[in-house]
Amino acid sequence: MFGSLFSLFSALLLAVSYLVSAAPVQPVELLVWSPTITSPKLGDVWLTGSTQNVTWLIDDIPDEKKNSTGLLLLGYFANNSENLDIKHPLASGFPIAWGWVDITVPTNLTRRDNYTVVLFGDSGNASPAFTIKPNATRASN
Ligand SMILES: *[C@@H]1O[C@H](CO)[C@@H](O)[C@H](O)[C@H]1NC(C)=O
Ligand SMILES: *[C@@H]1O[C@H](CO)[C@@H](O)[C@H](O)[C@H]1NC(C)=O
Ligand SMILES: *[C@@H]1O[C@H](CO)[C@@H](O)[C@H](O)[C@H]1NC(C)=O
Ligand SMILES: *[C@@H]1O[C@H](CO)[C@@H](O)[C@H](O)[C@H]1NC(C)=O
Ligand SMILES: *[C@@H]1O[C@H](CO)[C@@H](O)[C@H](O)[C@H]1NC(C)=O
Ligand SMILES: *[C@@H]1O[C@H](CO)[C@@H](O)[C@H](O)[C@H]1NC(C)=O
């Protein structure tokens, strides 16, 4: 378990190094674009092991970001932190310009009502809180 500042800092470092390695030939951008996440919505419920379509708005995507790739992390709000799981990204290397990415919810998650996903393009943007709970009909859970 990381401290909150450290975890945010590490996540940003990871995101930055990731973006740098993904786009080494692009010039340094001072422009910051924070895509608004439209799914999951507040109070949504995801089952472990299910496939989910995470979506975000791209109407305001700047030209400079149209070829950027993204990083999507799962976290949960607690202790004044997003508690991002930087070791197990939900998705990475997808084009931000798509506005969506399909993910599989990890099967071994604890039930919480305040999960969030954070999409890193330039700066991270968190979704509202939502629930993940075990798939009760799945025998192995
Ligand atoms: C995810 O949602 C977007 C926006 O509604 C849609 O265009 C896309 O086809 C969906 N992807 C899948 C795999 O369902
Ligand atoms: C994005 O990629 C396309 C196709 O490779 C290229 O034509 C375009 O110039 C690129 N745009 C930017 C802003 O890098
Ligand atoms: C998030 O949930 C955890 C346990 O599920 C709880 O301890 C924590 O207080 C909650 N945080 C917020 C901000 O709701
Ligand atoms: C909040 O922090 C305390 C002390 O570090 C820890 O014991 C607890 O598990 C944390 N709660 C959550 C939901 O992560
Ligand atoms: C879930 O599984 C991953 C990879 O197998 C492991 O690293 C992680 O600690 C597990 N998480 C929990 C909450 O057990
Ligand atoms: C839950 O588990 C059942 C039994 O394995 C399976 O049929 C169902 O598709 C699962 N639901 C989701 C959302 O993964």
Side-chain angles (χ1 to χ4, degrees), residues 37-140:
I37 295 173
T38 47
S39 179
K41 295 189 179 65
L42 180 68
D44 276 0
V45 178
W46 288 0
L47 296 185
T48 55
S50 65
T51 301
Q52 300 292 339
N53 189 0
V54 175
T55 61
W56 55 92
L57 297 180
I58 51 169
D59 351 339
D60 60 346
I61 187 171
D63 281 347
E64 293 81 0
K65 299 301 162 195
K66 284 186 174 157
N67 290 346
S68 295
T69 54
L71 174 70
L72 187 74
L73 299 181
L74 182 67
Y76 60 92
F77 301 110
N79 286 341
N80 205 21
S81 163
E82 287 170 349
N83 298 285
L84 297 177
D85 185 356
I86 60 174
K87 288 186 187 157
H88 309 103
L90 291 174
S92 64
F94 51 89
I96 286 271
W98 278 2
W100 62 273
V101 64
D102 249 3
I103 60 104
T104 299
V105 184
T107 53
N108 64 348
L109 297 175
T110 307
R111 187 201 162 124
R112 292 179 196 280
D113 296 324
N114 53 22
Y115 278 105
T116 182
V117 290
V118 177
L119 175 64
F120 288 93
D122 297 323
S123 69
N125 218 11
S127 75
F130 63 99
T131 296
I132 297 176
K133 63 179 188 182
N135 180 351
T137 58
R138 185 184 290 256
S140 60

